[in-house]
Amino acid sequence: MKSNVNLFQIAALDDPYPAYAQLREAGPLHHADDGMWYVTRYDDIQRLLRDRRLVAGTGVVSSFGLSEGPVYEAMTSWLMALDG
């Protein structure tokens, strides 16, 4: 589902939970204008995290052209870059 979701704006609200509930009710998957995909339901997220076909990306590290060195080591140890 294409959406104009901006999670940063929602998170800045005093009470973001009604907006999160609205997202979940609208559908489990939202493709935002920033190119990100948002999965809004816990069971779906758990299924995705456990799916062995999906692995952590190397996009950030690759986009910097890094293959070694201290910055590479730091970036590849980020939680988002780890599997398992």
Side-chain angles (χ1 to χ4, degrees), residues 14-65:
D14 287 334
D15 182 12
Y17 298 102
Y20 294 145
Q22 212 173 5
L23 279 175
R24 284 191 302 275
E25 290 169 12
L29 186 65
H30 298 271
H31 185 220
D33 290 337
D34 60 7
M36 300 293 289
W37 286 92
Y38 299 115
V39 182
T40 61
R41 296 181 181 156
Y42 180 84
D43 290 340
D44 295 329
I45 294 167
Q46 288 297 312
R47 198 169 19 259
L48 288 170
L49 290 173
R50 287 178 169 76
D51 190 329
R52 297 214 179 259
R53 295 172 298 170
L54 304 174
V55 296
T58 59
V60 175
V61 179
S62 298
S63 69
F64 284 96

Side-chain angles (χ1 to χ4, degrees), residues 1-22:
M1 161 185 251
K2 183 69 172 164
S3 177
N4 61 352
V5 175
N6 184 328
L7 287 185
F8 298 107
Q9 284 180 342
I10 293 172
L13 298 173
D14 287 334
D15 182 12
Y17 298 102
Y20 294 145
Q22 212 173 5

